[in-house]
């Protein structure tokens, strides 16, 4: 595996807003307190949000339907600040009168009725490490020795793509600042384009958690951030054919595309976004709708 250049400090990880309040981990055995037991834990996800989407994809890739149940939450949070009323009892059980929203994602412990973690990168890693590789047909998403590279890709996605795209489309920012952010974004896309010229996945010939993070970030870039970029900027985004072909290929995978909730993503975005949508950026780069669960059901009828 070749190295990945990070666009953020070494301590950075994909950001959650607000910062996670619960950082419990699933350990290797009973001495860990929380350890891998079938149906002990539950995921609470709203796949319209990027971190929840990453966990939904991971859950499917690892084939955990019979091992770790999932509760699906509404696309648009129903409490002020981005919280979900359904999660409030879990948050209260873990930290009474804790300020801040009862945000998703959440990994809860059915035995205690408390939250283990609401930190998506930790949850993803623990699913892969403690529940993954249950049979030879499942990808090893966190191979030993690849941790630093996976975290570097996650930082690159969070800061080099997601945050740069937000700055490039920020309402009220001056043209120079938006242009600089777009240039930074394009440099990251170009580096990924170059990597995918010689390998099937971000870190080599096998799928890892890095591909989950990158795919979700590309979905967010096209479905959400593109709306605030002008047509010229979007045209420059499309000039990375290998990268978008990679995104389409993963979207066609049964563990990826069916989790897309495009309507929910649109409603979630418009519920909190007050920026103007740019003219000329109406056409999506990828036909994501062709890979959603609803399309799959329609074709099966």
């Amino acid at each position: 595996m070749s190295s990945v250049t990070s666009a953020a400090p070494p301590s950075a990880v994909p950001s959650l807003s607000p910062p996670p309040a619960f950082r419990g981990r699933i350990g290797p055995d009973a001495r860990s307190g929380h350890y891998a037991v079938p149906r002990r834990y539950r995921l609470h996800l709203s796949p319209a949000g990027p971190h929840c989407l990453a966990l939904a994809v991971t859950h499917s890739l690892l084939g955990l339907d019979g091992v770790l149940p999932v509760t699906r939450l509404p696309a648009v949070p129903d409490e002020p600040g981005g919280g979900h009323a359904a999660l409030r009892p879990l948050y209260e059980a873990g930290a009474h009168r804790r300020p801040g929203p009862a945000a998703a994602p959440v990994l809860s412990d059915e035995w205690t009725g408390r939250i283990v973690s609401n930190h998506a990168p930790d949850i993803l890693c623990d699913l892969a490490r403690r529940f993954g590789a249950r049979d030879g047909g499942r990808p090893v998403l966190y191979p030993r020795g690849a941790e630093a590279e996976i975290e570097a890709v996650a930082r690159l996605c969070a800061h080099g793509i997601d945050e740069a795209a937000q700055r490039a489309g920020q309402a009220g920012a001056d043209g120079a600042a938006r242009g600089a952010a777009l240039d930074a974004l394009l440099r990251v896309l170009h580096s990924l384009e170059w990597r995918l010229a010689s390998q099937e996945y971000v870190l080599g010939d096998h799928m890892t958690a890095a591909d989950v993070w990158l795919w979700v970030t590309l979905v967010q870039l096209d479905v959400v951030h593109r709306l605030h970029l002008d047509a010229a900027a979007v045209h420059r985004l499309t000039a990375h054919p290998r990268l978008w072909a990679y995104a389409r290929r993963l979207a066609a995978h049964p563990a990826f595309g069916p989790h897309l909730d495009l309507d929910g993503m649109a409603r979630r975005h418009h519920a909190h976004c007050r920026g103007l949508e740019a003219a000329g950026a109406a056409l999506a780069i990828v036909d994501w709708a062709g890979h959603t669960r609803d399309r799959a059901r329609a074709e099966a009828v």
Side-chain angles (χ1 to χ4, degrees), residues 43-280:
L43 277 172
H44 305 259
L45 304 177
S46 173
H51 292 95
C52 290
L53 177 57
L55 292 175
V57 168
T58 300
H59 184 273
S60 290
L61 281 171
L62 300 176
L64 299 181
D65 284 340
V67 177
L68 202 161
V70 175
T71 293
R72 189 180 180 100
L73 300 167
V76 180
D78 52 2
E79 284 193 341
H84 292 271
L87 295 178
R88 179 58 57 189
L90 286 170
Y91 273 79
E92 288 290 329
H96 186 57
R97 296 188 181 278
R98 170 191 171 271
V106 159
L107 177 68
S108 67
D109 184 345
E110 300 278 70
W111 291 1
T112 65
R114 294 174 180 268
I115 293 174
V116 177
S117 179
N118 68 340
H119 187 250
D122 286 354
I123 298 172
L124 193 155
C125 180
D126 288 349
L127 293 185
R129 280 282 172 79
R130 307 307 178 196
F131 292 95
R134 305 180 72 87
D135 64 63
R138 304 294 179 183
V140 179
L141 296 180
Y142 257 87
R144 296 292 176 182
E147 297 91 342
E149 289 186 289
I150 291 171
E151 291 174 6
V153 170
R155 289 194 297 269
L156 200 67
C157 290
H159 302 283
I161 299 178
D162 192 63
E163 290 183 6
Q166 291 183 56
R167 294 195 305 271
Q170 185 175 2
D174 64 78
R178 288 167 61 111
L182 179 61
D183 288 342
L185 168 62
L186 292 169
R187 284 194 295 271
V188 172
L189 299 185
H190 179 74
S191 70
L192 292 166
E193 176 80 3
W194 178 83
R195 293 173 65 81
L196 291 169
S198 58
Q199 55 196 44
E200 189 173 0
Y201 297 104
V202 181
L203 298 185
D205 296 327
H206 301 283
M207 184 187 296
T208 67
D211 296 288
V212 176
W213 287 121
L214 177 55
W215 184 78
V216 168
T217 303
L218 292 175
V219 171
Q220 192 79 356
L221 176 60
D222 191 14
V223 175
V224 175
H225 300 316
R226 172 185 52 81
L227 302 178
H228 299 287
L229 301 175
D230 61 30
V234 175
H235 179 72
R236 296 177 70 186
L237 296 186
T238 65
H240 301 88
R242 296 185 186 92
L243 183 60
W244 294 109
Y246 159 90
R248 292 184 186 93
R249 175 163 53 84
L250 291 186
H253 190 293
F256 285 78
H259 287 295
L260 287 171
D261 179 5
L262 299 175
D263 176 68
M265 291 178 72
R267 287 187 287 112
R268 182 186 182 94
H269 174 61
H270 289 119
H272 67 79
C273 178
R274 299 294 180 265
L276 299 176
E277 294 191 358

